[in-house]
């Protein structure tokens, strides 16, 4: 027998555990089944820390309920109403005609000869296609995005910000805003132990941030918005958070969502100035999530971009403070979540780091080209005198006016319920009301291993078919409970939803008092 045979026999005699291999199992038919190479015990541990409440257990149960209804099972409700996520078109919001016309022409250029399409849609489609390899949206683009689209984005920013210059080379087209945010966090995360990078995020927060930081192994630094002052951002609270964090990590970035998600507040210009001064003093990289910039409803509120305020504060700040800002096609009056279009603009980034950023985005080849085309239409819509202009303005105005009405309706109805308190929905697409949960319900939730507001929202789903997200999925001050709901359903359905929430809360309170 050869030495190889002896070695093989010797190795096979060792237990799988001693050899560091997964154990084999015997199947029902007597065959040996090899254990999985990738298991929950040996997978990437940071992934297991990731949580994303917007599509968490309640949403999974909502999907099951929809299936059960379709199979004829009897429920106390006729349909599931998903008010958990800012998916405008899924809630009935209609797409902008011009955008879909141009995208149809870009997807199927043979339609360019169809007389039913307006000439400005055709000319816009031709311009986009001429920037695509082979005159086709099926081709790759440059990794940073199509040049002509980045130029249009730069011109849009310059118009929006009252003439503040914008360099197209600082624009990166992205797969929605989320892609740009995660990419920037990847650049910022470094270090170990007490030198590990820390990132300041608002509480309540959009779970993208906590999920990305968990996956990247960074430190999440919480700063709390002031619910009693309509979810305002207080500089003393930022200072408290950064001072405490420096004891266990290296704070490197400050993330702001304006208008706010999930809290719907719109930050004042003075607040933005104060934040910029704070970032400069504490040497923090600023990340401004501005995807809801067209969703402003409350009287006296106005969107101010961080870049505009930064440059109006003068060279002391405009030439030193590092800023990345983000926008998307998914929200505002467009609601085109599925196309995954977006951009980020970088300001004052180190040239060597910028080269690394360009390298990083090139690994993913390019953002979806249809999303880039849609982003171009958002920043360069029909102009006065063009055939599509009047209808575009009509559709845009109708969508934003309806959202403003629904924001007011949500606040008014919820504030009529004893035990529910809802701040004005100044902007974005969500309300984040505080709810009072009786102590008996808190105890029952603990017995089930659930957060009290998770218990509340799950019970609401089972009894009413309304799918909301508990505030614990976004973060909240200890001892307070909330839920997030969108204001996106059509007004008549939203009225029904709000009435059902009101009736459920009254029943729930009575049941557990």
């Amino acid at each position: 027998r050869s030495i190889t045979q002896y070695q093989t026999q010797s190795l096979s005699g060792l237990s799988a555990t001693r050899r560091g291999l997964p154990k084999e199992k015997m199947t029902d038919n007597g065959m040996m089944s090899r254990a999985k190479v990738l298991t929950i015990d040996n997978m990437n541990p940071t992934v297991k820390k990731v949580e994303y409440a917007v599509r968490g257990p309640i949403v999974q149960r909502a999907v099951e309920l929809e299936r059960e209804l379709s199979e004829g099972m009897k429920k106390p409700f006729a349909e599931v109403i998903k008010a958990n996520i800012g998916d405008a078109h899924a809630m009935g919001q209609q797409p902008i005609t011009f955008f879909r016309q141009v995208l149809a022409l870009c997807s199927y250029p043979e339609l360019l000869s169809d007389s039913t399409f307006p000439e400005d849609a055709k000319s816009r489609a031709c311009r986009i296609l001429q920037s695509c390899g082979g005159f086709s949206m099926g081709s790759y683009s440059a990794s940073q995005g199509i040049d002509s689209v980045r130029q249009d984005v730069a011109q849009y920013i310059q118009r929006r910000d009252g003439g503040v210059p914008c360099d197209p080379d600082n624009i990166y087209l992205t797969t929605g805003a989320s892609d740009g945010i995660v990419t920037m966090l990847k650049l910022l995360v470094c270090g170990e132990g007490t030198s590990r990078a820390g990132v300041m995020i608002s509480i309540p927060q959009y779970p993208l941030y906590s999920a990305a930081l968990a996956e990247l192994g960074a430190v999440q630094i919480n700063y709390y918005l002031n619910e009693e002052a309509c979810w305002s951002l207080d500089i003393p609270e930022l200072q408290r958070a950064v001072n405490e964090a420096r004891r266990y990590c290296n704070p490197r970035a400050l993330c702001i969502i304006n208008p706010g998600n999930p809290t719907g507040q719109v930050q004042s210009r003075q607040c933005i100035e104060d934040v910029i001064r704070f970032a400069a003093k504490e040497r923090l990289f600023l990340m401004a999530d501005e995807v809801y910039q067209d969703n402003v409803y409350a009287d006296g509120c106005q969107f101010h971009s961080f870049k505009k305020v930064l440059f109006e504060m003068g060279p002391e700040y405009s030439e030193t403070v590092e800023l990345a800002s983000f926008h998307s096609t998914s929200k505002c009056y467009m609601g085109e979540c599925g196309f995954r279009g977006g951009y980020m603009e970088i300001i004052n980034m180190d040239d060597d780091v910028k080269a690394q950023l360009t390298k990083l985005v090139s690994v993913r080849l390019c953002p979806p080209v249809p999303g880039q085309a849609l982003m171009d239409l958002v920043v360069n819509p029909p102009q006065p005198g063009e055939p599509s202009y009047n209808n575009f303005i009509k559709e845009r105005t109708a969508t934003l006016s309806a959202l403003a009405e629904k924001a007011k309706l949500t606040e008014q109805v919820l504030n009529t319920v004893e035990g529910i308190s809802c701040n004005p929905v100044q902007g974005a697409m969500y309300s984040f009301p505080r709810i009072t949960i009786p102590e008996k319900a808190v105890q029952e939730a603990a017995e089930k291993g659930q957060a009290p507001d998770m218990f509340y929202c799950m019970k609401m789903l089972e009894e009413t078919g309304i799918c909301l997200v508990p505030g614990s999925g976004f973060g909240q001050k200890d001892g307070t409970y909330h839920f997030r709901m969108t204001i996106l359903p059509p007004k008549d359905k939203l009225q029904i939803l709000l009435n059902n929430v009101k009736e459920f809360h009254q029943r729930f309170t009575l049941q557990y008092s």
Side-chain angles (χ1 to χ4, degrees):
R1 300 172 69 181
S2 69
I3 293 175
T4 302
Q5 287 176 310
Y6 280 112
Q7 288 173 331
T8 303
Q9 183 182 24
S10 175
L11 182 60
S12 65
L14 294 174
S15 70
T17 303
R18 285 178 61 194
R19 285 162 29 213
L21 300 173
K23 294 180 180 179
E24 295 180 341
K25 299 177 183 178
M26 186 74 76
T27 63
D28 292 339
N29 60 8
M31 300 291 290
M32 295 300 293
S33 171
R34 187 179 298 278
K36 301 292 185 185
V37 172
L38 178 62
T39 71
I40 194 68
D41 294 322
N42 65 25
M43 68 173 287
N44 184 341
T46 62
V47 174
K48 291 189 283 186
K49 297 178 183 178
V50 172
E51 295 183 1
Y52 191 67
V54 173
R55 297 193 181 210
I58 285 184
V59 183
Q60 294 165 17
R61 178 56 183 151
V63 172
E64 291 175 1
L65 287 171
E66 284 182 318
R67 186 181 66 251
E68 291 170 6
L69 283 170
S70 70
E71 293 171 351
M73 293 181 66
K74 297 298 182 184
K75 301 289 178 185
F77 45 88
E79 67 172 330
V80 173
I81 302 177
K82 292 180 180 174
N84 62 294
I85 194 167
D87 191 350
H89 291 185
M91 287 287 98
Q93 182 175 309
Q94 294 302 300
I96 299 295
T97 301
F98 179 77
F99 293 173
R100 289 300 183 89
Q101 286 175 331
V102 176
L103 290 171
L105 292 163
C106 288
S107 299
Y108 193 61
E110 284 79 356
L111 292 174
L112 288 166
S113 60
D114 190 326
S115 60
T116 60
F117 286 83
E119 289 304 314
D120 54 345
K122 291 180 179 180
S123 63
R124 196 64 60 82
C126 287
R127 180 173 180 269
I128 292 170
L129 288 170
Q130 285 165 359
S131 300
C132 297
F135 204 68
S136 170
M137 281 206 302
S139 60
Y140 289 128
S141 77
S143 297
Q144 199 168 333
I146 297 171
D147 286 345
S148 63
V149 178
R150 289 164 50 223
Q151 290 166 9
D152 286 349
V153 169
Q155 291 171 9
Y156 159 80
I157 293 172
Q158 193 161 320
R159 289 193 306 271
R160 181 198 67 187
D161 292 344
V164 176
C166 181
D167 184 350
D169 193 48
N170 289 335
I171 303 297
Y172 288 75
L173 301 182
T174 58
T175 308
S178 300
D179 173 48
I181 291 165
V182 173
T183 298
M184 282 307 310
L185 290 174
K186 286 181 179 179
L187 293 178
L188 285 156
V189 172
C190 67
E192 296 180 357
T194 56
S195 66
R196 193 161 52 129
V199 178
M200 302 181 70
I201 64 173
S202 62
I203 300 295
Q205 55 107 18
Y206 177 50
L208 163 70
Y209 291 90
S210 57
L213 294 174
E215 183 181 354
L216 295 170
V219 178
Q220 175 180 317
I221 304 170
N222 296 337
Y223 65 90
Y224 290 87
L225 301 176
N226 186 346
E227 183 172 10
E228 286 67 33
C230 203
W231 300 112
S232 65
L233 195 163
D234 298 331
I235 299 302
E237 169 60 14
L238 288 179
Q239 194 68 62
R240 176 206 64 78
V242 78
N243 288 348
E244 290 183 5
R246 284 210 163 93
R247 296 203 293 264
Y248 56 84
C249 72
N250 176 25
R252 303 200 74 203
L254 169 59
C255 300
I256 309 286
I257 309 174
N258 181 49
N261 176 11
T263 42
Q265 84 286 359
V266 179
Q267 302 295 359
S268 68
R269 190 188 187 288
Q270 183 60 55
C271 173
I272 294 171
E273 276 193 30
D274 292 343
V275 168
I276 290 171
R277 290 191 184 95
F278 173 81
K281 178 173 71 75
E282 300 294 336
R283 290 186 52 76
L284 296 170
F285 191 109
L286 265 176
M287 295 177 60
D289 182 340
E290 299 175 332
V291 302
Y292 297 99
Q293 57 189 258
D294 288 322
N295 296 111
V296 177
Y297 317 121
D299 292 339
C301 290
Q302 181 182 349
F303 170 74
H304 301 276
S305 79
F306 265 78
K307 181 189 177 183
K308 182 175 188 288
V309 175
L310 177 68
F311 275 77
E312 288 176 349
M313 291 173 68
E316 179 185 356
Y317 299 98
S318 64
E319 295 180 2
T320 59
V321 174
E322 295 153 84
L323 168 70
S325 58
F326 309 90
H327 195 17
S328 166
T329 63
S330 299
K331 309 302 178 184
C332 300
Y333 63 92
M334 304 85 71
E336 295 280 15
C337 305
F339 278 96
R340 310 310 300 135
Y343 74 75
M344 65 176 172
E345 181 187 15
I346 55 170
I347 303 293
N348 293 325
M349 179 176 278
D350 179 88
D351 289 340
D352 291 336
V353 175
K354 185 177 177 183
Q356 294 297 314
L357 169 60
T358 303
K359 178 187 73 175
L360 185 59
V361 300
S362 71
V363 173
R364 287 169 291 183
L365 298 177
C366 69
V369 173
Q372 295 187 53
L374 181 60
M375 190 78 254
D376 187 65
L377 301 173
V378 169
V379 299
N380 188 17
Q383 300 301 307
E386 292 184 328
S388 301
Y389 177 74
N390 289 339
N391 190 57
F392 167 76
I393 292 297
K394 178 182 176 183
E395 291 178 339
R396 182 183 186 276
T397 302
T399 297
L400 292 175
S401 297
L403 286 168
E405 288 180 24
K406 291 185 286 189
K408 193 66 177 175
L409 175 67
T410 300
E411 175 196 348
Q412 289 173 341
V413 173
L414 291 179
N415 280 327
T416 66
V417 187
E418 185 176 354
I420 297 182
S421 174
C422 183
N423 271 318
V425 182
Q426 296 176 328
M429 297 176 169
Y430 317 96
S431 64
F432 197 71
R434 183 189 292 196
I435 53 177
T436 300
I437 298 181
E439 187 56 34
K440 285 184 181 179
V442 173
Q443 292 172 2
E444 186 170 331
E447 292 168 5
K448 292 178 178 290
Q450 294 180 343
D453 46 14
M454 169 66 86
F455 174 75
Y456 175 96
C457 288
M458 190 66 81
K459 199 167 182 63
M460 184 189 298
L461 174 63
E462 297 287 352
E463 293 184 15
T464 69
I466 295 172
C467 181
L468 307 177
V469 189
S472 50
F474 300 88
Q476 55 197 348
K477 285 188 176 180
D478 290 343
T480 69
Y481 309 111
H482 302 79
F483 61 76
R484 188 190 83 160
M485 62 166 283
T486 72
I487 62 170
L488 290 171
K491 191 173 180 181
D492 56 344
K493 186 172 285 191
L494 180 64
Q495 183 73 65
I496 294 170
L497 184 156
L498 291 167
N499 289 340
N500 287 344
V501 169
K502 179 177 181 178
E503 292 170 6
F504 167 81
H505 186 84
Q506 291 168 340
R507 288 196 311 271
F508 182 89
T509 302
L510 187 61
Q511 178 182 354
Y512 288 100
S513 17

